[in-house]
Amino acid sequence: MRRLLLFLCFAMPAAFAQDFSDAERLQGYAIRGDSTVFLFEPGHYGLNAVPERVVVTGALVGWDTAMDDPTRQLRPTESGVWALSIYNPRYGFLKPATPFKFRVNDGVWLDPPGGAPNAEGGNFIFLHDVTPSSMRAELRGERAVWVKLAGDSLRTSTRPLRYRILDAQGNETPVAAVLPNQADEFLVVPAEDLALNRIYFVEYSAPGSDEVLRAWANFDGLWRTMYSEKPLGAEITLDENGDGSKTDIRLFAPRADGVTVNLYDDRTGDATASHALTRDSQGVWEIMLDGDLHGTYYDFEVVGPDDPGNHFFNQEGIRVTDPYARVSDDGWGRARIWRATEPATPLAGGIPAMEDVIAYEVHVQDFTDRLPVSDDLKGTIPAMTMPGLTNSRGEPIGFDYLKDLGVNVVHLMPMQEFLHYPDDVWQDAFADDPFMQAQGVADENYQWGYRITHYMAVESRFRQRGTEPGAEREQFRDLVQAFHDEGIAVIVDFVFNHTGENMEGTQQVLNFNGIDKLYYYRILPDLFGTFDHIGVFGNEVKSEDRPMVQRWLIDQCLHFIEEFGVDGFRIDLAGQTDEQTLRAVREAIGRDKIVYGEPWIGSNDPAFEANPDWDWYKVDSPITFFQDDARNAFKGPTSDPMPAVESRGFAGGDGTVREQTMRALSNRFPDEATPNMGINYLDIHDNWALPDRYARNKTGDDAWDGRAGVDEDRYRVAATLLFTSLGPIVLNGGSEMLRSKGAAPLQSEMGGQKVLETAMTPVYINGRGDTYNLRTANQYDWETVGATPADGAASDYAAMLAFWRGLIDFRLSEAGAVFRKGDPQPEGYYRFLAPDHTQMLGYVVDDRVLVLVNSSDAPQTFPGVDLADGTWMLVSDGQRVNPDGTLGSPLDGGQAQAVAVPERTAMIWVRAQ
């Protein structure tokens, strides 16, 4: 990684005066001698204006997201194309088959344009039709190393002298024979036994060339067939009287030489017992102990070979905790043996079908921090479902607010045990820091939770204070039950793609790193002995070629279903989990479960990206995916809104995206075979909150701060577009009540990303557009519920909440069923009205619902609105929603007519049955 960044620092200037062919511009690069020139043609991407900056990123820089690195910024040429030249002799740095992508302005990701011959999985592929010389080696047995050679000009040989087997210390094992299997695949037979848990390298000297290929003899050949169905973790077996008769403890550690479990009576004392586990043939270490050990604390000592890439106890001196533990004491502490939890009862009416989903994304701590509850409950699971709470004006808040809103799915941000840096370390750094105090994070390392450390455990900091470690499990089960009792499904945000062991550039040995880093994570080894993690977020979980990782992903889903009763999952950065594993997860949990996730950001492992059965994007998505194309059309991209007002999509008045808006409404993007393939949304926890993007003030001290007022008319237009689109939808919790992140500073006010230091790790503050670690900015301000300008409020919070509630009621009504379709609908199901004025758009859905949208700043008239026979009742005048249709004069069907729509307004009519 450092070597690649160094090469970019010496990038050569592009020969900007030269011409580039249309084919080169379309594929995103040109080759000129020893240089590779990245090319960006704005016209190919449908941009509304000349970009302010263009940056290239990709696997060659670990998909780095920085926009201010001058070595990756393209520059405009006289011909209009943007270019950046890098010195790339013999493709030694930017290698064939490397994926890359362009980002513009403040970070908007752009897919390759249609027709790009080298587009794959949403990325460009450099030299996609060239196979470079390469070698892959797998350790298959004590006397078996499988080698695969590739390359358009590479000659192969079966002469043993052309092959060398070396251990990590450079000691050579002679090669007895090389036997061909296919033209490019060979069995290399060592003359002596190899240890099946040690690091070896293979070298090959090709005939007629001075090139020597070198590869790590990885363990895939052994591990892809290693599997066990034995229960993992600590399981208490009850006798016929219901009493615990024994406790079985198992840990999968395929390369360990030994595993010891230590038992403790409390969180911090010395071990009261230690037991050596026994290994079975499939890498499972196990022991059966007499008695019910419920409540006992435990950890493991895993010892193994002293090779690079390993972090075993004998190397690091660090005990690890159980990745299957039901209870983890704040991530850093010991695990705790715990009995299985009895789940909540299922939803009486069954889980909503995907097309019926109106999900509400919410973070437990954000939702409960400002509720009027006792201090031991603030920020906790029990506070989430406490009934009877009101604000100062008597308005229902908290649980009653959420159930009255009318959504049918609560989507909880991560609930599994996630990484918080220890309070003493944190407070030593920030207790007296005014900025961190203002952001509510001087005393603790607040997080959204996308850094899981223990996947079967419930986040211990969400437990009611004063209750013992483990009580959070029953508290979470009770939360699920409370929502089920109100007919609301509960899904949980799962983070398959990475773990919390490698964050902010630091490495911790909590579990997988110390059990076997090479098994659980994707690694790109330096061919001279360094086995570093890869990944945008510190590491990548390796789901492919790892049956026991695949099982672990399935197990955690089944665990939350069987022990808590949850109804489905949102999968974070699902594009980094291989397609086959996601299909296996989908099948294992049951087709009735709700599952959706993020398709973007691929793996940094070239082997993953090059395998079409692993790598996937929208068109071959194994799960419902977040449809960012719809988001961009409705309300604009996720990049910073300033200063471009047109960044707010069709609702914001950008008529150039009208065609994309029509596709978004009818779920007819090319990658959507059915309306259920994409889930539509406006905003989500990431990036800018909708009220700040639609902030009334764009300059001054309160610029882009929704607390100072919101363009409420356009905000309602955006909501109307979302709620009248086909298929499932998800809401960012608080958008309906204009929840702003304005308490966080703009990044420009901080002078860019703010980097702070603790004794353990750097801390990155990104400002209003990314508030993942800023507590105050994310909190629900319950005092705004019911507030109006008459109360001195900057916005009409009461009217906005009523509007969103009305849209929810309408969508779930009989008339709203026209939008809740999971199967492909016939051509013309959405009949669009597209006047010459591009800021106007109308649509008739199934001849039952009419929507007219005027996103311009002046009243407009839709000419010749042709409606089916019948009376068309006005259910939304753009300010209010009433599914009963009593808001104004109806329209008469059976004739073409002109219909006037006020400025910045979306109106809805329903044909009476």
Side-chain angles (χ1 to χ4, degrees), residues 127-165:
L127 290 179
H128 68 291
D129 54 355
V130 172
T131 303
S133 296
S134 65
M135 176 172 62
R136 179 177 173 82
E138 294 181 355
L139 184 62
R140 295 278 185 93
E142 293 173 337
R143 293 291 184 101
V145 179
W146 196 260
V147 170
K148 183 176 178 62
L149 299 169
D152 291 336
S153 59
L154 182 68
R155 292 174 58 188
T156 62
S157 172
T158 57
R159 292 189 61 196
L161 290 178
R162 293 202 169 273
Y163 296 82
R164 300 178 70 204
I165 298 175

Side-chain angles (χ1 to χ4, degrees), residues 59 63 97 99 120-121 123 125 136 220 496-497 522-524 534 540-546 553 573-582 598-617 620 622:
W63 292 98
E120 183 180 300
N123 302 318
I125 306 298
R136 179 177 173 82
D220 292 357
F496 288 169
N497 64 93
R522 293 187 186 121
I523 303 291
L524 284 183
I534 60 173
E540 289 185 15
V541 171
K542 187 171 178 64
S543 53
E544 69 288 350
D545 274 339
R546 298 291 188 271
L553 297 180
L573 293 184
Q576 291 192 349
T577 299
D578 76 274
E579 179 182 346
Q580 306 312 315
T581 291
L582 287 174
E598 296 174 302
W600 41 75
I601 302 188
S603 170
N604 281 294
D605 186 341
F608 178 95
E609 291 293 306
N611 188 327
D613 290 331
W614 293 342
D615 186 38
W616 61 274
Y617 196 50
D620 57 345

Side-chain angles (χ1 to χ4, degrees), residues 430-691:
F430 304 125
D432 299 322
D433 186 315
F435 173 83
M436 299 295 271
Q437 289 172 346
Q439 297 304 317
V441 290
D443 294 328
E444 71 163 308
N445 174 214
Y446 162 92
Q447 291 287 336
W448 275 337
Y450 295 94
R451 39 177 67 193
I452 310 297
T453 61
H454 295 81
Y455 286 71
M456 309 296 172
V458 175
E459 169 52 44
S460 55
R461 293 202 180 194
F462 289 165
R463 180 176 72 247
Q464 181 178 354
R465 282 173 284 283
T467 58
E468 67 171 329
E472 64 273 8
R473 295 184 65 81
E474 283 70 28
Q475 292 170 13
F476 177 57
R477 185 270 320 282
D478 292 346
L479 177 150
V480 176
Q481 187 66 65
F483 281 111
H484 279 191
D485 290 345
E486 298 297 333
I488 300 173
V490 177
I491 69 171
V492 182
D493 205 333
F494 271 17
V495 187
F496 288 169
N497 64 93
H498 74 282
T499 79
E501 286 194 294
N502 299 83
M503 303 302 300
E504 283 87 31
T506 62
Q507 176 162 279
Q508 312 299 334
V509 180
L510 300 175
N511 40 56
F512 288 152
N513 272 337
I515 295 169
D516 199 331
K517 182 175 86 173
L518 301 185
Y519 185 88
Y520 288 99
Y521 295 113
R522 293 187 186 121
I523 303 291
L524 284 183
D526 182 287
L527 295 184
F528 297 94
T530 301
F531 290 77
D532 289 333
H533 283 286
I534 60 173
V536 177
F537 299 102
N539 60 49
E540 289 185 15
V541 171
K542 187 171 178 64
S543 53
E544 69 288 350
D545 274 339
R546 298 291 188 271
M548 292 298 282
V549 171
Q550 188 177 90
R551 178 193 153 178
W552 171 67
L553 297 180
I554 293 171
D555 282 351
Q556 60 184 273
C557 293
L558 293 176
H559 183 85
F560 270 70
I561 292 169
E562 294 169 357
E563 298 207 11
F564 302 109
V566 303
D567 305 294
F569 308 95
R570 179 262 193 190
I571 303 177
D572 182 68
L573 293 184
Q576 291 192 349
T577 299
D578 76 274
E579 179 182 346
Q580 306 312 315
T581 291
L582 287 174
R583 293 191 183 281
V585 168
R586 193 76 187 84
E587 202 62 37
I589 67 175
R591 286 286 169 179
D592 63 322
K593 302 300 186 294
I594 298 166
V595 181
Y596 54 84
E598 296 174 302
W600 41 75
I601 302 188
S603 170
N604 281 294
D605 186 341
F608 178 95
E609 291 293 306
N611 188 327
D613 290 331
W614 293 342
D615 186 38
W616 61 274
Y617 196 50
K618 295 177 180 178
V619 71
D620 57 345
S621 176
I623 60 174
T624 297
F625 58 82
F626 278 86
Q627 183 47 284
D628 52 327
D629 291 327
R631 174 203 68 200
N632 293 347
F634 291 157
K635 67 90 189 179
T638 61
S639 57
D640 292 354
M642 60 279 207
V645 175
E646 61 268 22
S647 72
R648 300 191 291 181
F650 189 75
D654 184 2
T656 66
V657 297
R658 185 169 70 173
E659 184 175 343
Q660 293 96 305
T661 302
M662 289 189 279
R663 292 196 189 99
L665 289 162
S666 56
N667 274 27
R668 285 192 176 271
F669 287 106
D671 44 36
E672 292 176 304
T674 74
N676 277 348
M677 281 196 70
I679 188 167
N680 288 344
Y681 67 109
L682 296 176
D683 64 332
I684 214 70
H685 64 269
D686 292 317
N687 311 118
W688 282 79
L690 198 63

Side-chain angles (χ1 to χ4, degrees), residues 19-21 23-32 37-41 45 54 74 77 81-84 100 102 124:
D19 292 328
F20 302 105
S21 69
E24 289 173 328
R25 297 179 188 212
L26 192 62
Q27 71 181 10
Y29 70 89
I31 296 172
R32 297 292 185 268
V37 187
F38 290 109
L39 301 175
F40 181 84
E41 171 63 73
Y45 298 86
V54 179
L74 284 70
T77 69
V81 67
W82 294 56
L84 170 68
F100 68 94
F102 294 115
F124 288 107

